[in-house]
Amino acid sequence: NDDTDEILVDVPPTRADILHACDIMEDVAIAYGFNNIPKTLPNSVTVGKALPINKLSDLIRKELALAGWTEVLPLILCSHDENFAYLNKKDDNKTAVKLANPKTFEYQVVRTSLLPGVLKTVRENKKNALPIKVFEVSDVVFKDDSLERRARNDRHVCAIYCNKVSGFEFIHGLVNRIMDMLRVNFVSASGDENGYFIKESDDPTYFPNRSADIFIRSSSTVTKIGSFGIIHPKVLENFEIIYPCSSLEIDLGTFL
């Protein structure tokens, strides 16, 4: 090329491994010899460390495991019904990222809640000894037109207790344990102190009058961070679970 700073490269059809410019650079470096490249110090001195959200997630995983719960890792894609109808929720077309050409009905949308995946895990393990105590700490995805990619990832924690009785007290205790570990105090809903409090919820995923929303108050700002309760029998029937279950789901991003 006339410009001495540019080199035009033609990739032959026999080199199917050339996908990006870095593949060309790798071939040049191999030809020149890695040992012949002079060693230089970087212009800035940095120290590698974990992202705050990943460090927080690892702490949550460790504490839940120490409390006797087992971690599960379901898939991030699920069917449209599992994300909405099976949880007694309606799709407002403003929440979930949908695949344009899903290959199977099981992978139609990117999950907006960890609950469907954990419920499917319980369904596949319902023959195991009771109680079943499982949790997941992972990402969910929401539409967000304010971002360039028009979607955002949120880190959630979800846990389910499955037994011959609902075990609501175990899930409530786990909520308190998570908050204690994060050093967030329980406060009155009508007060003005910083901390967390709960209020009765009307979430259709849960049994009526057997669920609560979790709120965080910080500097007079109140934010809903999650919910917990006894799962509605219709939801359990949709996921083919024959035992009562209680669950919690909390957004961890608030604690950063």
Side-chain angles (χ1 to χ4, degrees):
N1 193 3
D2 295 337
D3 189 344
T4 56
D5 292 334
E6 292 185 2
I7 299 176
L8 297 180
V9 178
D10 290 328
V11 179
T14 55
R15 290 299 302 274
D17 60 316
I18 303 297
L19 302 177
H20 303 284
C22 61
D23 298 318
I24 302 294
M25 296 168 63
E26 181 186 18
D27 269 18
V28 172
I30 292 173
Y32 182 75
F34 285 114
N35 294 332
N36 297 325
I37 299 176
K39 296 180 180 179
T40 58
L41 292 174
N43 295 327
S44 59
V45 179
T46 59
V47 178
K49 62 179 181 180
L51 292 172
I53 187 63
N54 288 337
K55 186 174 182 179
L56 175 61
S57 299
D58 287 342
L59 292 172
I60 294 290
R61 290 186 180 101
K62 180 178 179 181
E63 288 298 326
L64 294 186
L66 290 173
W69 299 69
T70 302
E71 184 176 12
V72 297
L73 295 171
L75 299 173
I76 196 170
L77 297 178
C78 62
S79 74
H80 185 275
D81 284 345
E82 288 170 350
N83 200 67
F84 292 105
Y86 283 13
L87 298 180
N88 289 342
K89 294 182 178 180
K90 294 183 179 180
D91 183 8
D92 58 4
N93 293 318
K94 299 178 181 179
T95 305
V97 176
K98 302 176 183 178
L99 276 66
N101 55 342
K103 299 302 180 184
T104 171
F105 74 93
E106 292 183 351
Y107 308 125
Q108 294 173 323
V109 301
V110 187
R111 64 186 178 185
T112 58
S113 168
L114 299 181
L115 192 56
V118 184
L119 282 171
K120 286 194 291 183
T121 303
V122 173
R123 178 188 66 195
E124 300 303 324
N125 290 274
K126 59 188 177 184
K127 292 183 179 179
N128 290 353
L130 297 175
I132 297 174
K133 300 162 60 178
V134 292
F135 76 92
E136 181 186 9
V137 181
S138 193
D139 280 358
V140 295
V141 178
F142 295 96
K143 285 184 178 179
D144 191 342
D145 292 335
S146 64
L147 300 176
E148 182 181 1
R149 60 185 181 273
R150 300 180 65 187
R152 74 174 193 277
N153 284 33
D154 288 347
R155 186 65 53 85
H156 283 197
V157 54
C158 177
I160 285 183
Y161 180 92
C162 177
N163 203 349
K164 293 181 179 180
V165 293
S166 64
F168 178 78
E169 64 275 17
F170 292 98
I171 285 294
H172 195 172
L174 193 62
V175 172
N176 294 339
R177 175 58 190 149
I178 292 174
M179 295 301 178
D180 287 344
M181 186 202 69
L182 295 172
R183 298 178 181 175
V184 181
N185 296 325
F186 181 77
V187 297
S188 171
S190 58
D192 55 2
E193 295 178 291
N194 290 343
Y196 81 97
F197 60 90
I198 61 176
K199 282 187 176 181
E200 186 176 341
S201 169
D202 57 357
D203 191 324
T205 300
Y206 299 107
F207 199 85
N209 303 318
R210 294 295 185 273
S211 64
D213 291 329
I214 309 169
F215 295 88
I216 287 282
R217 184 189 294 115
S218 178
S219 302
S220 301
T221 301
V222 176
T223 306
K224 179 184 173 182
I225 63 166
S227 59
F228 66 99
I230 301 174
I231 299 178
H232 197 285
K234 181 63 177 177
V235 175
L236 297 177
E237 181 183 349
N238 292 334
F239 285 94
E240 302 174 15
I241 298 174
I242 59 177
Y243 299 110
C245 298
S246 294
S247 72
L248 70 85
E249 185 159 0
I250 299 174
D251 181 2
L252 292 179
T254 310
F255 299 102
L256 296 178

